[in-house]
Amino acid sequence: MTIDITMWPWAAYILFPLNVAFAAVVIFLERRDPGATWAWLMVLFFIPFLGFILYLVFGQNLSRSRLFDWEDKKKVGIEEQISHQKKAIKEGVYPFANPHTQENSKLVYMMLSHNDAVLSEDNSVYIYTDGTEKFESLMHDIRQAKDHIHIQYYIFRLDGLGKKLIDLLTEKARDGVEVCILYDDMGSRKLRRRHFKGLIEAGGVVEIFFPSRIPFFNLRLNYRNHRKIVVIDGQIGYVGGFNVGDEYLGKDPSFGYWRDTHLRIEGSAVHALQTRFILDWNQASRRHDFMYEERLFPPPAVKGDAAMQIVTSGPDSEWEQIKSGYIKLIMTAKKSIYIQTPYFIPDASILDALRIAALSGIDVKVMIPNKPDHMFVYWATYSYAGELMKAGAKIYIYDDGFIHAKTIVVDEKLSSVGTANIDVRSFRLNFEVNAFMYDYANGRKLAKSFMHDMLVSYELTPELYKQRSKVIKFKESISRLLSPIL
């Protein structure tokens, strides 16, 4: 078979106008962020036609989609609580339980208005920074479960930890406890329903978020459910950065010790986590949709004094709620801002907020990993860290394994812990969940953890940063250019 090279000019004549049409119709009509628009234009320009295929897979805009709905949501009482809290805060008569929450009533109101994030002030919180401790606690709580266990993870590996967890859940299902597992199709791409055969036979139910309808091809590949939520008996909730896998116990030699942050919550905030799980579950399931039942939302058996809001965001939303919360936290800082994130690729708004804080004399510290798990993201992270350093912020490289924590602590009394990194993917592409806490005790604990991690980190000084090679500078430049679509 021979190829007629005289056909190539005609192919170019056809592909060029098609590419222009794709750029005009598909990108500009989406009204994207200018940075993402230019990045996709580069892809279309340098990879004609194939770039459009990549856009279909990685660039769809879901902001017009209504993915999550639950008719019984009103029965939980969330809408009534939101209406009451908004009205009372706006009129200045809300009976805040502690002064830290009252001082940040504007942030609370913003999350109420644009995210339906109910404020609860009766929570007891335990902070985990070690995977072994976190999963030992989770296993213990699962063993004590009497009614239901709802589990949602982005990554669920079928290794030592994963099998141990499945075996325990299978045992609980045999005992008559309702067991529901939801995992992300891309994050857990080696996992299949058949791997849960024993659990399903015991009465458990497994669902997959955004599964591929066509083998080896998924048009929603770029939009992943990055949330990690566990709810046990409607009384105990877990949320944070740990997924299920042996590497999160520090057993992967390529990463070493895995440093993350996770919360165990008891109190009314668990109802918000339960609602989020049900919304995600009902989107993924067409056979086992949840209806409202009082057993799913029991009165808290344990009460504390920690105030928080459970905030979620995703590509189906008009607003980037978690990013807005981060910016508001940064803007409230009077003394200090401590950030831990594996991926530091801020957009202009976050970068400007941090730069202004640093230039204002606020102690801005950012801690990032010393090794990559995604190469382009790693070098883009160093590029932005170098820029922020110029404004006076201090950058620390965690050197005791891999840091995966997603935390912000402001003035040691306000904090956010969850699944959202500081990057475009978390803000616009992934479905995320964070706990925003208005509590000195937990803020202080998170700040102490940061200080402890500094002992096994080194500071990336301007002198060290200038010594990087030309090859690294080139990697940073390319990665930063692509950062809006990483």
Side-chain angles (χ1 to χ4, degrees):
M1 179 180 178
T2 59
I3 299 174
D4 186 356
I5 61 173
T6 62
M7 294 296 294
W8 285 109
W10 290 103
Y13 289 140
I14 295 171
L15 286 177
F16 181 75
L18 276 177
N19 224 42
V20 171
F22 292 154
V25 176
V26 179
I27 295 182
F28 288 115
L29 292 184
E30 292 278 9
R31 295 187 179 276
R32 290 178 171 273
D33 171 79
T37 298
W38 281 110
W40 278 115
L41 280 173
M42 284 181 56
V43 171
L44 288 173
F45 178 78
F46 287 109
I47 320 176
F49 191 72
L50 178 59
F52 177 64
I53 303 299
L54 292 173
Y55 181 87
L56 287 179
V57 177
F58 295 105
Q60 297 177 79
N61 193 336
L62 298 186
S63 63
R64 300 183 183 89
S65 304
R66 185 173 178 81
L67 298 175
F68 304 100
D69 196 15
W70 186 30
E71 292 181 0
D72 286 354
K73 189 175 179 181
K74 290 183 180 179
K75 296 179 182 179
V76 183
I78 290 177
E79 293 183 7
E80 185 178 344
Q81 288 182 354
I82 292 169
S83 178
H84 166 73
Q85 290 184 352
K86 283 173 60 179
K87 185 174 184 295
I89 291 174
K90 199 167 186 177
E91 294 175 355
V93 296
Y94 189 84
F96 289 102
N98 72 64
H100 304 310
T101 314
Q102 187 168 10
E103 289 171 7
N104 293 276
S105 61
K106 297 296 184 184
L107 172 57
V108 174
Y109 186 87
M110 181 182 74
M111 295 305 189
L112 278 166
S113 299
H114 300 294
N115 196 243
D116 291 348
V118 175
L119 173 68
S120 58
E121 299 182 281
D122 62 351
N123 301 290
S124 175
V125 179
Y126 190 89
I127 301 170
Y128 297 98
T129 59
D130 176 78
T132 299
E133 185 185 8
K134 180 258 178 175
F135 282 104
E136 284 180 353
S137 175
L138 177 61
M139 299 282 194
H140 175 269
D141 288 334
I142 287 173
R143 291 188 188 98
Q144 307 305 311
K146 299 293 189 294
D147 186 78
H148 62 271
I149 303 164
H150 296 161
I151 291 183
Q152 174 179 355
Y153 280 102
Y154 172 63
I155 295 174
F156 199 121
R157 300 208 191 283
L158 204 65
D159 52 18
L161 177 61
K163 290 178 180 177
K164 184 178 179 181
L165 182 56
I166 292 172
D167 288 345
L168 178 56
L169 293 169
T170 302
E171 180 183 329
K172 296 303 294 186
R174 288 198 190 103
D175 291 340
V177 175
E178 176 185 274
V179 177
C180 298
I181 297 179
L182 174 64
Y183 67 88
D184 183 82
D185 187 56
M186 181 60 186
S188 307
R189 52 188 170 274
K190 293 183 180 180
L191 204 58
R192 300 293 182 268
R193 272 199 183 90
R194 65 176 182 271
H195 294 140
F196 297 95
K197 181 180 178 182
L199 172 62
I200 294 171
E201 290 176 349
V205 188
V206 178
E207 293 292 354
I208 308 169
F209 188 86
F210 276 8
S212 175
R213 305 300 181 190
I214 307 172
F216 311 111
F217 191 75
N218 193 333
L219 283 176
R220 295 181 292 186
L221 176 68
N222 208 32
Y223 300 100
R224 311 318 313 172
N225 198 319
H226 198 235
R227 295 168 183 147
K228 298 100 178 166
I229 295 172
V230 176
V231 178
I232 300 171
D233 290 344
Q235 296 285 0
I236 299 170
Y238 284 83
V239 65
F242 284 107
N243 288 290
V244 177
D246 284 349
E247 71 258 44
Y248 303 99
L249 302 179
K251 295 183 178 181
D252 187 335
S254 63
F255 287 110
Y257 181 72
W258 191 278
R259 168 67 177 87
D260 220 320
T261 305
H262 218 92
L263 304 179
R264 180 186 185 274
I265 303 169
E266 292 181 90
S268 297
V270 177
H271 291 180
L273 289 174
Q274 182 83 287
T275 301
R276 182 68 264 171
F277 173 85
I278 290 174
L279 286 165
D280 287 5
W281 179 272
N282 285 356
Q283 191 285 326
S285 171
R286 294 296 178 266
R287 299 165 296 161
H288 307 281
D289 288 356
F290 277 99
M291 304 295 288
Y292 173 79
E293 296 180 66
E294 288 186 6
R295 68 180 179 86
L296 301 174
F297 299 91
V302 175
K303 293 187 177 182
D305 57 6
M308 72 170 62
Q309 290 174 285
I310 301 298
V311 180
T312 62
S313 65
D316 60 318
S317 304
E318 182 180 0
W319 309 101
E320 298 167 9
Q321 292 94 336
I322 292 178
K323 186 189 83 169
S324 297
Y326 283 175
I327 293 173
K328 191 69 174 174
L329 280 178
I330 294 166
M331 290 170 60
T332 64
K334 300 291 191 298
K335 298 178 181 178
S336 62
I337 302 168
Y338 303 152
I339 295 174
Q340 291 177 314
T341 179
Y343 318 126
F344 184 68
I345 310 179
D347 65 4
S349 59
I350 291 275
L351 189 62
D352 284 344
L354 288 170
R355 185 189 293 115
I356 291 168
L359 291 171
S360 301
I362 293 169
D363 181 21
V364 177
K365 291 184 170 74
V366 179
M367 189 175 292
I368 57 178
N370 73 335
K371 59 185 68 176
D373 65 340
H374 299 291
M375 191 60 68
F376 280 111
V377 175
Y378 176 76
W379 293 117
T381 290
Y382 266 70
S383 171
Y384 284 103
E387 181 172 342
L388 188 59
M389 201 164 30
K390 295 177 183 177
K394 294 183 178 180
I395 308 298
Y396 294 89
I397 311 300
Y398 185 78
D399 203 27
D400 191 35
F402 185 75
I403 189 161
H404 190 250
K406 303 100 165 43
T407 64
I408 296 182
V409 188
V410 171
D411 295 342
E412 299 188 4
K413 60 184 179 182
L414 299 173
S415 58
S416 176
V417 175
T419 67
N421 302 300
I422 297 183
D423 63 4
V424 173
R425 175 160 294 278
S426 283
F427 296 152
R428 298 180 193 147
L429 301 177
N430 284 344
F431 299 93
E432 308 280 4
V433 56
N434 276 42
F436 281 72
M437 297 187 287
Y438 312 91
D439 175 64
Y440 177 79
N442 288 305
R444 183 61 182 154
K445 288 176 185 176
L446 289 167
K448 283 185 176 180
S449 292
F450 189 99
M451 297 301 178
H452 180 267
D453 292 332
M454 285 176 58
L455 299 176
V456 289
S457 304
Y458 65 88
E459 185 177 352
L460 181 64
T461 62
E463 291 73 26
L464 277 175
Y465 189 66
K466 288 178 182 177
Q467 292 173 14
R468 66 199 194 286
S469 67
K470 291 182 179 179
V471 173
I472 291 177
K473 290 178 182 179
F474 176 76
K475 290 178 179 179
E476 286 185 9
S477 298
I478 296 298
S479 299
R480 180 155 177 163
L481 197 61
L482 295 174
S483 63
I485 58 175
L486 286 178

